Amino acid sequence: MNDFIAARSQMALSLGFHIVFSCIGMVMPFFMAVAHYYWLTTHNVVYRNVTKAWSKGVAIFFATGAVSGTVLSFELGLLWPEFMKHAGPIFGMPFSLEGTAFFIEAIALGFFLYGWERFNPWFHWFTGVIVGVSGLASGILVVAANAWMNSPAGFDFVNGQYLNIDPIAAMFNRAWFSQALHMTIAAFAATGFAVAGIHALMILRGQHIAFHTRSFKIAAIFGCVAALVQPLSGDISAKDVATRQPAKLAAMEAHFETEKSASLIVGGIPDEEAREVKYALRLPGFLSFLAHGNFEAEVTGLDRIAKENHPPVAITHYAFQTMVGMGMIMMGIAAVYLLALFKHKKWLTKSWLFKLFALATPLGFIAVEAGWTVTEVGRQPWIIYNVMRTADAVTPMPGIAYSFYLFTAVYVSLALFVIFMLYRQIKMVGKLYDEEGESFR
């Protein structure tokens, strides 16, 4: 493994782990706040126990997210010094604001965890809401920084110099809204399905039904609504990418030839040498509509883009297909659940419904990982789109492969620690239930 591939692999690994921790960390506080609200308004002790259990989960993911995020910030400087030398002064504002949001989130989480029976109950609830709002703001600000890499703004690039820097314009670049919206909804869908799936499994096992049923319902509603809304943000993102990054869209769809009434490809195996996609289902005109809102519009293919600027087509295409496929499955489950919730209430106690959610537990995060693969791999060979190539930004320091192996061990260990802590937390819920019996209800 050469140093360039090692550096890219290390960033991919770090982002792949961090995105799971951060998504759960910024969404779970909202689940917690809803359960807490029900406790304050109904005085049903189950909601109190759900809130306390989820708050400990929030603390776990806050800690692991902080660790993995700190590592990422160091990696940007160590692995990509040329990038940070020029980009740091331009897109540093969202990172500094993210630090402020993180600071507020940490304080609010401390108040919430230690505020039981010490604060006014509604003020205590409010501190939990602040945890969610500040965590969400933190995530959006980081995405704004990534969006700048896809749509650089806030400077003039003249003779290799970065001049007339405007941090506000850089932060609110053309891509920030579509990326932030898509990522936020994806985080709610992925976390909602993952949490609902775990509680569904506990229900199927017959463990602590009252606790897990109420937990399942809160998480499932969040996840299902997000899954059904996600295609709208996907449409906004697709049209934005078609305008700003035609090479990325062409790679996503393995669209080799520029044409009008372009077909949307479902599945298939791209052959970059033959410039074709084998075994694909084609929907005539739908790619034109997806990209430009017109079934007759022309869609730029890879034939109009210099070969040295082509993203890796196969990886981008497969990742995009995976993201869409997982999203479609989640939409189907969401439609069934909401139908059960409002029309066929008998379904809500059926084991097949809980089995659907249990099986769907990882789907949202598979979609999130695939979506970030599309975002990052689809931008290649650029680290700053059309300004700086990734190969020109990497550190000249040798031995990056060893760093990659070391950080792989760190992140795998961190993941195992999280799994152990969550397993311990679930067992603790069972122990409390067994000790308190009916009072736990």
Side-chain angles (χ1 to χ4, degrees):
M1 181 184 292
N2 64 47
D3 288 334
F4 177 58
I5 296 300
R8 287 188 61 187
S9 299
Q10 185 172 321
M11 284 300 298
L13 175 82
S14 303
L15 280 166
F17 276 97
H18 179 67
I19 198 169
V20 174
F21 301 148
S22 60
C23 282
I24 298 174
M26 71 189 218
V27 170
M28 276 297 294
F30 290 100
F31 297 3
M32 178 182 78
V34 170
H36 196 185
Y37 175 82
Y38 283 139
W39 155 240
L40 293 177
T41 54
T42 67
H43 300 292
N44 184 331
V45 74
V46 174
Y47 288 117
R48 181 201 65 188
N49 293 321
V50 170
T51 305
K52 287 189 172 183
W54 278 351
S55 69
K56 292 174 183 177
V58 168
I60 291 169
F61 282 103
F62 176 83
T64 52
V67 171
S68 59
T70 302
V71 171
L72 267 173
S73 65
F74 282 115
E75 285 178 337
L76 280 172
L78 293 173
L79 298 177
W80 312 102
E82 191 65 22
F83 167 70
M84 291 303 295
K85 172 185 173 182
H86 298 291
I90 303 171
F91 80 150
M93 179 172 284
F95 279 126
S96 62
L97 292 176
E98 190 273 339
T100 303
F102 177 81
F103 182 65
I104 294 171
E105 182 183 6
I107 293 172
L109 181 59
F111 278 8
F112 187 84
L113 292 175
Y114 297 103
W116 289 96
E117 296 166 0
R118 292 182 175 89
F119 295 145
N120 174 280
W122 284 105
F123 175 77
H124 184 217
W125 171 81
F126 181 70
T127 63
V129 173
I130 293 298
V131 173
V133 171
S134 55
L136 190 60
S138 180
I140 289 172
L141 288 163
V142 170
V143 171
N146 178 268
W148 178 84
M149 298 164 69
N150 287 303
S151 181
F155 66 97
D156 294 324
F157 188 62
V158 182
N159 297 325
Q161 299 294 314
Y162 297 77
L163 307 174
N164 303 320
I165 293 173
D166 183 348
I168 299 295
M171 184 166 67
F172 294 108
N173 57 78
R174 290 173 59 195
W176 86 270
F177 176 76
S178 60
Q179 280 197 211
L181 178 66
H182 197 59
M183 185 64 236
T184 299
I185 297 174
F188 274 94
T191 305
F193 268 83
V195 174
I198 292 169
H199 289 292
L201 183 61
M202 295 298 104
I203 293 169
L204 288 169
R205 290 180 176 177
Q207 298 180 4
H208 326 311
I209 300 299
F211 177 90
H212 290 296
T213 299
R214 287 166 174 79
S215 303
F216 168 83
K217 185 176 181 179
I218 293 171
I221 290 175
F222 269 104
C224 289
V225 171
L228 291 172
V229 171
Q230 185 69 305
L232 299 177
S233 72
D235 182 65
I236 293 170
S237 294
K239 288 178 170 57
D240 178 61
V241 168
T243 302
R244 291 184 301 96
Q245 294 177 296
K248 179 183 285 187
L249 181 72
M252 287 160 58
E253 277 296 315
H255 185 61
F256 291 102
E257 304 295 332
T258 301
E259 61 180 343
K260 294 182 178 180
S261 298
S263 298
L264 183 70
I265 292 175
V266 179
I269 301 174
D271 185 337
E272 295 185 56
E273 293 298 323
R275 303 177 67 82
E276 65 178 9
V277 183
K278 299 176 181 177
Y279 317 115
L281 173 65
R282 297 176 182 274
L283 304 175
F286 275 83
L287 181 57
S288 293
F289 181 77
L290 179 71
H292 302 293
N294 184 344
F295 285 99
E296 302 295 326
E298 182 178 87
V299 179
T300 302
L302 291 167
D303 59 321
R304 286 195 183 171
I305 298 163
K307 191 169 184 179
E308 63 269 20
N309 294 334
H310 286 192
V313 175
I315 295 174
T316 308
H317 177 70
Y318 293 140
F320 180 67
Q321 295 292 312
T322 300
M323 178 186 70
V324 173
M326 297 300 102
M328 294 296 290
I329 294 171
M330 291 164 66
M331 282 180 64
I333 295 173
V336 169
Y337 181 71
L338 292 181
L339 191 63
L341 206 58
F342 294 106
K343 201 167 182 67
H344 299 285
K345 293 191 181 295
K346 289 183 179 179
W347 294 359
L348 295 174
T349 59
K350 301 295 184 182
S351 62
W352 60 262
L353 184 67
F354 295 117
K355 287 177 181 177
L356 277 179
F357 276 93
L359 292 171
T361 300
L363 298 189
F365 284 108
I366 293 173
V368 166
E369 297 285 6
W372 271 102
T373 300
V374 171
T375 299
E376 296 303 297
V377 176
R379 189 181 61 245
Q380 300 306 313
W382 306 99
I383 192 168
I384 307 175
Y385 188 64
N386 280 342
V387 175
M388 180 185 289
R389 290 180 176 271
T390 310
D392 296 332
V394 71
T395 178
M397 183 180 70
I400 300 300
Y402 298 107
S403 173
F404 168 63
Y405 300 139
L406 173 63
F407 277 88
T408 299
V410 169
Y411 276 108
V412 169
S413 300
L414 192 60
L416 292 174
F417 170 76
V418 171
I419 292 170
F420 168 74
M421 291 298 292
L422 292 177
Y423 176 77
R424 185 169 174 267
Q425 182 60 30
I426 292 171
K427 296 291 287 184
M428 192 176 296
V429 168
K431 183 179 179 181
L432 284 171
Y433 190 100
D434 294 337
E435 287 177 353
E436 298 186 30
E438 290 300 315
S439 68
F440 191 83
R441 296 176 178 270

